[in-house]
Amino acid sequence: MKVAEELGADIAINYKTQDFVEVLKDNGVDVILDSIGGDYFGKNIEVLKEDGRLVYINAMKGPKVELNIMKIMQKRIVLTGSTLRGRGKDFKSKLTKEIETNILPLIENGKFRPIMSKIFPFESVSDAHIYFESPDQFGKIVLKMDS
């Protein structure tokens, strides 16, 4: 949580020790990008503000959810989802160009920088996996090939 706050997060929540619904219920949020699915669906609907957007990019806790359609309608929530798996080469090429145009300049100008947690030599891939599962891991783990 300290790292997230140092990076500029207004609120940092440890999902293992805190209920994000309790933390966010008074203020709510405008947009949720969810890769969890499952029982997080109802919680997400609960914390979204009116006219909020809920975007799914994965469903690690399962694709089936319980939906109270009235809550969606009352809050005028926009619910959407996407995956790249079923998309064609043309779509992926266009998306790559959009990232090159709109995201890479942010990185090059220092406005956005990916956080690398640790760099491992390629031969230490098993150590990288162990580190990935540790609570100390935050950000990207890089495997470096010898040049």
Side-chain angles (χ1 to χ4, degrees), residues 11-144:
I11 300 171
I13 301 168
N14 181 340
Y15 73 95
K16 292 181 181 179
T17 60
Q18 296 174 284
D19 179 359
F20 73 90
V21 175
E22 286 299 314
V23 175
L24 300 172
K25 70 179 179 183
D26 291 335
N27 296 321
V29 296
D30 295 305
V31 179
I32 297 174
L33 178 62
D34 191 332
S35 63
I36 306 299
D39 62 351
Y40 273 50
F41 180 80
K43 295 176 181 183
N44 291 336
I45 299 299
E46 191 67 32
V47 299
L48 274 170
K49 292 180 182 178
E50 290 184 354
D51 300 308
R53 291 174 287 161
L54 177 53
V55 181
Y56 277 94
I57 58 170
N58 199 351
M60 292 172 43
K61 288 186 94 179
K64 299 199 183 227
V65 299
E66 186 173 319
L67 168 64
N68 179 340
I69 196 72
M70 287 304 296
K71 285 192 177 194
I72 302 283
M73 294 178 345
Q74 289 168 338
K75 289 186 173 186
R76 298 174 307 279
I77 291 172
V78 175
L79 175 61
T80 188
S82 185
T83 179
L84 289 176
R85 280 192 191 131
R87 302 306 292 256
K89 188 175 181 178
D90 290 341
F91 176 86
K92 291 178 184 178
S93 295
K94 182 180 175 191
L95 179 62
T96 300
K97 288 177 185 165
E98 288 179 10
I99 290 170
E100 288 172 350
T101 301
N102 299 311
I103 304 299
L104 291 183
L106 296 174
I107 295 169
E108 292 166 2
N109 294 329
K111 292 182 180 178
F112 173 80
R113 63 181 175 89
I115 305 300
M116 286 188 279
S117 181
K118 198 164 185 179
I119 299 172
F120 289 88
F122 188 77
E123 298 78 29
S124 300
V125 68
S126 59
D127 293 335
H129 271 278
I130 292 167
Y131 181 71
F132 176 75
E133 295 176 6
S134 79
D136 299 328
Q137 191 277 113
F138 183 90
K140 302 294 180 192
I141 299 171
V142 177
L143 292 175
K144 183 177 179 183

